[in-house]
Amino acid sequence: MSRTPLIAGNWKMNGTIEESEERVASLLPRIATAEHVDVAVCTPFTALQAVVDSTRGSRLEVYAQNMHHEPSGAFTGEISAPMLTELDVHGVVLGHSERRQLFGETDKALQLKVPAAMEAGLRVILCVGETEDERENGDTERRLRHQVQEGLEKVPAERLGEVVIAYEPVWAIGTGQVATAEQAQDALAFVRALVADRSKEQAELTRILYGGSMKPDNAAELLALPDCDGGLIGGASLDVEQFVSIIEAAPKA
């Protein structure tokens, strides 16, 4: 079954409105004919409206980097799904390792966030992955099983394939380290098998991304893996030339 690759650039806390508009203006003409791949950028909240407006009518999708599961309420500093859909945002990244590690986001919270985003009409990229200690202690599969099962628990079986899952080995994020092709494929295949435990049909539809220091020089090898359906790109997505090189490395059907 053919799955269209997705290359999503996570800008994290980088980019004023002006900088974001300039980056998008440089990116759009470079991806206009890249019809073999879906492309998204995940921008800071303050730049979402400007980037959405700058990309209307283009192939580039715009994602937020987080959201609260409640539609409104006394949650100072949080952003809700209705606030995102009002801006015509396409989707949202949930459970990024930095949210988990630095801000205490739990699997229980994601169990609520994922279906809330879907019910609002947002596309979801759910991030999962093990720390260096967990990998060294042989706990990679245990950690992935818990994250995937919790994050998807309240998603109806017939909609599982709508959720994009990004496998990001925490020890490889921003460190320059990259999982070997074998390590990456083993983890990606294990994630797909976890989805298949609930629905084999939906598991074949599920796009699973690699998200750990993917760069132009390793993108082709990683994107060619049987269970790799794209990448969640951090630092390299801030450089248009590098980001385009990764997009161009995605296999064509």
Side-chain angles (χ1 to χ4, degrees):
M1 184 174 295
S2 178
R3 296 180 294 268
T4 302
L6 169 63
I7 306 296
N10 180 15
W11 293 356
K12 305 188 182 186
M13 195 177 72
N14 293 291
T16 62
I17 290 174
E18 182 179 3
E19 290 168 342
S20 299
E21 288 177 328
E22 289 175 354
R23 191 176 297 127
V24 165
S26 297
L27 179 61
L28 286 176
R30 303 289 300 277
I31 65 170
T33 59
E35 297 180 356
H36 66 293
V37 60
D38 292 335
V39 184
V41 290
C42 315
T43 80
F45 286 124
T46 52
L48 281 172
Q49 183 71 77
V51 174
V52 166
D53 289 343
S54 296
T55 58
R56 291 188 192 279
S58 76
R59 302 187 64 257
L60 186 62
E61 296 189 345
V62 183
Y63 282 52
Q65 297 176 15
N66 186 33
M67 57 158 261
H68 196 278
H69 68 273
E70 291 286 358
S72 62
F75 304 105
T76 300
E78 292 290 327
I79 298 291
S80 70
M83 294 174 181
L84 296 178
T85 57
E86 183 181 37
L87 301 180
D88 291 332
V89 169
H90 299 93
V92 60
V93 176
L94 297 175
H96 190 279
S97 64
E98 290 160 1
R99 299 298 315 169
R100 295 176 186 265
Q101 289 193 302
L102 301 179
F103 304 103
E105 184 154 62
T106 64
D107 292 315
K108 285 293 184 184
L110 292 162
Q111 190 181 94
L112 300 174
K113 288 186 177 189
V114 172
M118 295 176 72
E119 288 165 15
L122 293 168
R123 300 183 184 109
V124 172
I125 298 177
L126 171 64
C127 300
V128 300
E130 81 284 4
T131 64
E132 187 171 15
D133 285 345
E134 287 167 337
R135 173 163 284 276
E136 289 180 353
N137 293 330
D139 288 336
T140 296
E141 290 191 354
R142 178 192 60 79
R143 184 67 175 134
L144 291 177
R145 181 180 293 107
H146 192 266
Q147 291 176 326
V148 172
Q149 290 178 344
E150 288 280 314
L152 298 180
E153 183 170 325
K154 297 184 185 300
V155 177
E158 66 274 13
R159 297 192 67 187
L160 288 171
E162 297 175 33
V163 180
V164 176
I165 303 176
Y167 166 65
E168 41 171 33
V170 178
W171 45 272
I173 298 174
T175 64
Q177 295 187 72
V178 184
T180 66
E182 183 178 8
Q183 287 173 325
Q185 171 56 25
D186 285 349
L188 296 166
F190 184 69
V191 169
R192 194 176 307 283
L194 292 171
V195 180
D197 285 343
R198 290 198 43 205
S199 171
K200 291 183 179 179
E201 180 183 7
Q202 291 297 305
E204 288 302 311
L205 298 173
T206 300
R207 291 192 288 187
I208 304 175
L209 315 182
Y210 176 81
S213 294
M214 184 182 286
K215 293 179 169 45
D217 60 356
N218 61 33
E221 180 182 27
L222 291 166
L223 292 170
L225 296 173
D227 286 290
C228 186
D229 304 307
L232 181 60
I233 317 301
S237 71
L238 297 172
D239 183 303
V240 171
E241 292 300 323
Q242 289 191 48
F243 193 46
V244 169
S245 293
I246 294 171
I247 293 167
E248 291 175 344
K252 298 176 175 61

